[in-house]
Amino acid sequence: MKSKPTLRSFFKKKEVEYGKETKLEKNDFLALLIAAASVFVPIILGFAIALGAFIWLFIQFGPAIALLISIIVVMVVTFIVKFVKKDEG
């Protein structure tokens, strides 16, 4: 009778045979691409939106106000992230 794997068994270092290729299953590469896209695409879009907002602020209000508004936004977002993390743990 097989017992369930324990949490400790997941953290044990797996033995790696050097020089041996790892065989991927049929759709493993597609799954890796989808996982990478689901992580990096929102980050890239976020940077693009933030840059576009900063450029728009710069054009509309001038450099001093754009920088001031950007600093305030970063401070507010940082406060919100720290507040949410404090509530989780």
Side-chain angles (χ1 to χ4, degrees):
M1 182 167 136
K2 284 189 170 182
S3 63
K4 287 173 136 181
T6 61
L7 186 61
R8 181 171 285 182
S9 68
F10 286 111
F11 293 114
K12 285 184 181 175
K13 190 171 182 178
K14 306 258 191 285
E15 300 228 0
V16 178
E17 294 180 27
Y18 294 101
K20 183 178 179 184
E21 284 189 29
T22 304
K23 299 290 183 186
L24 296 177
E25 292 183 14
K26 183 178 180 183
N27 291 325
D28 282 350
F29 187 69
L30 178 63
L32 288 171
L33 286 177
I34 291 170
S38 69
V39 170
F40 290 114
V41 168
I43 293 171
I44 293 169
L45 284 175
F47 281 125
I49 290 170
L51 180 64
F54 181 75
I55 290 171
W56 180 80
L57 286 171
F58 188 84
I59 292 170
Q60 292 295 325
F61 303 110
I65 301 297
L67 188 60
L68 180 65
I69 292 172
S70 299
I71 290 171
I72 291 170
V73 167
V74 167
M75 289 172 58
V76 168
V77 168
T78 304
F79 176 76
I80 291 170
V81 168
K82 285 185 178 181
F83 185 73
V84 168
K85 283 190 176 183
K86 186 188 293 184
D87 284 349
E88 287 178 356

